[in-house]
Every structure is written in structure tokens, then in C-alpha cells.
């Protein structure tokens, strides 16, 4: 995954950063913790601008999360729960999961959106209860943009600081990213197998 992410960013430039960050929200096994530090490596080598890299990473993250917001907003809680009851095996999602996410969001509100942008897996899922709760778009975008920009900036700076140790970091990041993908697939398969009809 390390080489693939680097080659994508090298080939597509800033558009590659944006596309990968959109994909990260739609397909979580491509984590931003891999994408943005690698973009930071390229910034450190002088091939990309720090400001534009963080900007495109943030835009990609926001665009990806908007889709999940509208899933919650357009479907509504009852329809989403009925869909989960019928097709939840493939989604590994039960109506009770939707209830739990909605209750959690109602307790924490805007701060859940802000801090959720910095937590793996939560950064994608937090948008659905925000849509279900009909959180105002301006408020959702405000906290999403601030949280995403902060997280994207931290990860990019980390890659920038480590660019001189590129080869050493590659030896650790590549197997780690593969392990993340294997773990996510294994958890998904386990949830599919153990899912019970509702």
C-alpha cells in the first residue's frame, strides 16, 4: 500500500491527495494516517507545496464525509433502520447500532463531529448520526472543516519532519498498512458471519 499511495500522489499530484482522502472516507482501509504523512514526505522533498497539500487533503476529507451526512439526512432514522434490518448483514449494521450512534451524537453534538474527524473509523461514521439529527449544514461543515484541517495538517507535518528517514519509515509503514487492511477485512468477515436477522 505504501508504494501504491506514493505512486498515486506522484502521478496525480494534488488531485491524487484529494482523491485518496475522498476514498479514505468511503473505503476506510485506506487510512489518512498513511496518505497524508506520505504526502508530507513529498512536500519535504520539494515536489509539493505544504499549504496546497493540506488544503487538498482537507477538501478531500470533507467531500468524502458529506456523502455519509446525506445518507443519514435523506434516509432518515426509520428508513435507515428498516434498511439495516433487511440488508444489515452486508453492512454489518443493525438497527440497534443506529439507535446507539444517534443517542451518542445527541449527547455530544458538535464536539462529536470535531473530535470524531481525528479518530479512525469514527471519522466516517460520525457523519451519519449528524445527518439523522438534521444538524444544520453550516454547523456540520464548520466543525468538519476545522477538525479535518487540524488532523490533515498534523499528519502532513509528521511526514514532512520524517522525510529524511523515508526509507526507514517505509519499512514500518508498508507492513503496518497491510496489517490494517487485513484486520479491517477480518473484522468485517467476522461481523458478517455472526450477524443475526432483526
Amino acid at each position: 500500500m505504501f508504494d501504491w499511495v506514493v505512486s498515486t500522489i506522484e502521478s496525480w499530484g494534488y488531485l491524487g491527495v484529494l482523491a485518496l482522502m475522498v476514498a479514505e472516507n468511503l473505503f476506510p482501509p485506506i487510512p489518512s494516517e498513511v496518505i497524508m504523512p506520505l504526502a508530507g514526505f513529498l512536500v519535504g522533498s520539494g515536489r509539493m507545496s505544504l499549504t496546497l497539500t493540506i488544503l487538498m487533503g482537507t477538501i478531500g476529507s470533507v467531500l468524502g464525509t458529506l456523502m455519509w451526512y446525506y445518507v443519514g439526512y435523506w434516509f432518515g432514522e426509520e428508513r435507515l433502520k428498516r434498511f439495516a434490518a433487511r440488508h444489515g448483514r452486508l453492512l454489518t449494521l443493525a438497527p440497534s447500532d443506529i439507535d446507539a450512534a444517534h443517542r451518542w451524537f445527541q449527547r455530544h453534538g458538535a464536539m462529536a463531529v470535531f473530535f470524531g474527524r481525528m479518530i479512525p473509523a469514527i471519522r466516517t461514521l460520525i457523519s451519519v448520526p449528524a445527518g439523522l439529527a438534521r444538524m444544520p449544514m453550516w454547523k456540520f461543515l464548520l466543525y468538519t472543516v476545522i477538525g479535518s484541517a487540524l488532523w490533515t495538517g498534523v499528519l502532513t507535518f509528521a511526514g514532512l519532519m520524517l522525510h529524511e528517514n523515508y526509507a526507514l519509515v517505509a519499512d514500518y509503514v508498508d507492513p503496518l498498512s497491510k496489517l490494517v487492511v487485513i484486520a479491517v477485512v477480518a473484522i468485517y468477515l467476522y461481523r458478517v458471519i455472526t450477524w443475526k436477522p432483526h
Side-chain angles (χ1 to χ4, degrees):
M1 181 179 283
F2 182 94
D3 292 333
W4 177 74
V5 170
V6 171
S7 65
T8 299
I9 296 173
E10 284 181 329
S11 301
W12 294 10
Y14 300 111
L15 184 60
V17 174
L18 187 146
L20 287 169
M21 289 300 283
V22 170
E24 186 251 348
N25 284 275
L26 305 180
F27 188 65
I30 308 172
S32 59
E33 291 86 354
V34 172
I35 299 164
M36 294 315 300
L38 295 182
F41 285 138
L42 298 178
V43 170
S45 66
R47 283 177 277 179
M48 297 175 74
S49 154
L50 177 63
T51 303
L52 280 176
T53 299
I54 294 173
L55 178 64
M56 296 305 276
T58 301
I59 292 171
S61 182
V62 172
L63 288 176
T65 201
L66 274 173
M67 189 204 81
W68 293 110
Y69 173 88
Y70 280 116
V71 164
Y73 190 90
W74 285 331
F75 268 69
E77 188 170 358
E78 291 310 311
R79 276 206 302 170
L80 196 59
K81 283 163 71 174
R82 285 198 300 271
F83 184 84
R86 285 195 204 101
H87 309 288
R89 182 179 295 278
L90 290 178
L91 298 173
T92 69
L93 184 69
S96 58
D97 296 329
I98 295 168
D99 285 333
H102 197 178
R103 283 194 302 271
W104 188 80
F105 179 81
Q106 287 178 322
R107 281 199 304 274
H108 302 287
M111 286 298 100
V113 174
F114 174 74
F115 288 109
R117 300 306 306 152
M118 305 173 209
I119 304 170
I122 297 295
R123 73 171 60 99
T124 298
L125 299 176
I126 193 59
S127 304
V128 176
L132 289 174
R134 298 292 198 271
M135 184 179 193
M137 177 55 73
W138 70 267
K139 196 172 188 180
F140 175 77
L141 281 177
L142 176 66
Y143 285 97
T144 298
V145 168
I146 294 171
S148 296
L150 182 60
W151 184 239
T152 300
V154 166
L155 293 175
T156 306
F157 270 109
L160 177 62
M161 295 297 103
L162 293 170
H163 81 95
E164 291 179 0
N165 299 309
Y166 184 90
L168 179 63
V169 172
D171 290 340
Y172 287 99
V173 171
D174 194 41
L176 187 60
S177 62
K178 287 174 182 170
L179 189 62
V180 168
V181 172
I182 291 168
V184 168
V185 170
I187 292 167
Y188 172 78
L189 291 175
Y190 172 78
R191 292 199 63 177
V192 167
I193 293 165
T194 57
W195 189 86
K196 291 179 175 60
H198 294 76

